[in-house]
């Protein structure tokens, strides 16, 4: 996504005991099988998933572990526990480019051992057994990387590749995607007059309104400072404009009072949709961004729709 002109914690999955290896560390509980992405797109690196249920790996959003890797098949391979032997096995799901374990191509079912590297397209995953301290560590790192600390929204690091993937999938499925670019009005004046504590309070209150209205429809990120972006797959432009107007009205009518200090920020929003206003993810962002500045120039505290068509 181009730079502007002027960032959900996962719930810990339940674990199961495994028969191998037998090593246990005092105070950390049983070791459990897991997959860790060690090579691939920046968005994917460090992601970990437990193998307490069959894990489907691929680039489709319905996969258990979705990779931002165009060379991976939609449903590339599966890791599961064999009911007879109790061992974990890898099964290729008829992938276009094939699956390899430790450099050897998989022709059928392959048993997995501690430390095995699974190669899926341009990505690599390590199969291993982890204890509760390992899992807590990786979960904490994932939260730090994927979550904006102020608002709890998904971070830019996670949002950007996910947005690109949503638009590409919409292209393949011939369905719309709407994009909202949102920018609060008056925050600099609030910071200058009342301090950054009140300014941060206004950002958090506004983000709560944005999440309540838009999060059921798509992916939302704090884009930086007092700016936000929302990607709404399957939503036509007119519907997105109505949602944007609801956000605008709610922010304008909200009671922003902290420690006896009342402030009255508003928000301006630009709306554009794919493929109506743009045919690529970058062009869609540019169209929505331009509409945002139309809203600013028209007086702020309003919604502007892309005039690309």
């Amino acid at each position: 996504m181009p730079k502007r002109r002027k960032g959900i914690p996962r719930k810990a999955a339940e674990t199961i005991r495994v028969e191998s290896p037998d090593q246990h560390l005092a105070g950390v509980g049983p070791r459990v099988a897991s997959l860790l992405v060690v090579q691939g797109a920046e968005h994917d690196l460090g992601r970990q998933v437990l193998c307490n249920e069959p894990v489907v790996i691929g680039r489709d959003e319905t996969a258990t572990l979705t990779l931002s890797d165009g060379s991976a098949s939609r449903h590339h391979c599966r890791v599961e526990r064999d009911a007879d032997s109790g061992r974990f096995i890898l099964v290729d799901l008829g992938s276009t480019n094939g699956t390899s374990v430790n450099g050897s191509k998989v022709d059928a079912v392959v048993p997995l051992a501690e430390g095995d590297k699974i190669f899926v397209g341009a990505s690599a995953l390590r199969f291993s057994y982890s204890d509760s301290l390992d899992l807590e560590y990786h979960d904490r790192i994932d939260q730090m990387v994927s979550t904006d600390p102020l608002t709890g929204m998904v971070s830019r690091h996670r949002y950007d590749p996910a947005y690109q993937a949503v638009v590409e999938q919409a292209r393949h499925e011939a369905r719309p995607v709407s994009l909202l670019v949102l920018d609060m009005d008056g925050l600099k004046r609030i910071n200058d007059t009342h301090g950054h504590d009140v300014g941060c309070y206004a950002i958090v209150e506004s983000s709560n309104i944005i999440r309540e209205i838009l999060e059921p429809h798509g992916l939302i990120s704090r884009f930086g400072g007092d700016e936000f972006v929302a990607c709404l797959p399957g939503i036509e432009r007119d519907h997105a404009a109505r949602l944007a107007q609801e956000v605008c009205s709610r922010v304008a009518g909200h009671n922003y009072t902290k420690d006896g200090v009342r402030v009255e920020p508003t928000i301006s929003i630009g709306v554009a949709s794919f493929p109506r206003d743009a045919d690529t993810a970058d062009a869609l962002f540019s169209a929505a961004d331009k509409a945002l500045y139309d809203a600013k120039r028209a007086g702020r505290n309003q919604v502007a729709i892309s005039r690309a068509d």
Side-chain angles (χ1 to χ4, degrees):
M1 179 180 290
K3 294 182 179 179
R4 285 294 306 277
R5 293 187 288 268
K6 306 212 155 139
I8 303 175
R10 294 180 297 119
K11 294 183 178 179
E14 294 182 359
T15 60
I16 59 172
R17 288 183 178 271
V18 295
E19 296 178 2
S20 68
D22 294 328
Q23 301 170 349
H24 287 71
L25 299 178
V28 298
R31 288 161 65 82
V32 297
S34 65
L35 293 166
L36 177 70
V37 181
V38 295
Q39 174 181 299
E42 183 181 0
H43 168 63
D44 296 330
L45 290 177
R47 293 178 59 198
Q48 186 176 40
V49 61
L50 301 185
C51 301
N52 56 325
E53 295 181 355
V55 177
V56 175
I57 303 163
R59 60 181 172 82
D60 193 89
E61 61 182 8
T62 62
T64 314
L65 179 56
T66 304
L67 299 175
S68 304
D69 184 345
S71 59
S73 296
R74 296 173 71 87
H75 293 139
H76 198 102
C77 61
R78 182 176 67 246
V79 172
E80 61 188 2
R81 196 177 190 194
D82 181 68
D84 295 327
S85 67
R87 297 192 64 179
F88 284 90
I89 57 174
L90 175 90
V91 182
D92 183 82
L93 299 177
S95 63
T96 302
N97 297 321
T99 307
S100 298
V101 175
N102 300 328
S104 298
K105 195 166 184 178
V106 172
D107 294 323
V109 175
V110 176
L112 295 172
E114 170 81 23
D116 278 350
K117 301 294 193 308
I118 302 169
F119 293 88
V120 176
S123 303
L125 302 89
R126 185 177 72 233
F127 176 81
S128 62
Y129 293 89
S130 306
D131 57 50
S132 60
L133 290 180
D134 294 329
L135 297 174
E136 182 179 352
Y137 168 77
H138 284 292
D139 191 64
R140 183 68 178 271
I141 293 298
D142 185 71
Q143 289 183 31
M144 292 171 63
V145 170
S146 65
T147 308
D148 174 63
L150 182 63
T151 64
M153 290 180 173
V154 65
S155 68
R156 282 284 308 281
H157 174 78
R158 289 288 193 230
Y159 172 86
D160 284 350
Y163 164 68
Q164 296 281 343
V166 165
V167 174
E168 284 308 306
Q169 185 156 357
R171 183 190 311 281
H172 290 303
E173 298 178 356
R175 64 171 182 165
V177 176
S178 286
L179 188 70
L180 276 59
V181 181
L182 312 91
D183 192 0
M184 293 179 64
D185 307 317
L187 192 71
K188 183 179 185 305
R189 184 173 63 254
I190 291 172
N191 286 332
D192 292 344
T193 305
H194 303 290
H196 287 274
D197 282 349
V198 177
C200 286
Y201 163 77
I203 291 174
V204 171
E205 290 291 292
S206 298
S207 74
N208 290 338
I209 293 171
I210 293 168
R211 292 184 69 177
E212 180 182 344
I213 296 171
L214 299 181
E215 205 164 57
H217 302 282
L219 185 66
I220 306 145
S221 176
R222 182 182 175 211
F223 203 67
D226 57 349
E227 302 167 295
F228 307 89
V229 62
C231 170
L232 311 179
I235 302 293
E236 297 281 2
R237 193 177 70 178
D238 290 347
H239 184 187
R242 291 194 296 272
L243 292 170
Q245 187 57 58
E246 184 177 355
V247 172
C248 196
S249 299
R250 285 275 300 278
V251 169
H254 187 67
N255 180 6
Y256 291 85
T257 302
K258 177 177 173 58
D259 299 330
V261 175
R262 180 180 173 86
V263 293
E264 298 181 342
T266 57
I267 197 164
S268 298
I269 307 174
V271 181
S273 66
F274 167 91
R276 183 172 182 174
D277 301 309
D279 58 1
T280 68
D282 288 348
L284 178 61
F285 175 82
S286 296
D289 196 40
K290 184 178 183 301
L292 167 65
Y293 280 91
D294 289 341
K296 292 284 190 180
R297 284 191 293 267
R300 308 187 178 203
N301 187 27
Q302 58 189 279
V303 175
I305 300 175
S306 173
R307 296 178 293 179
D309 60 353

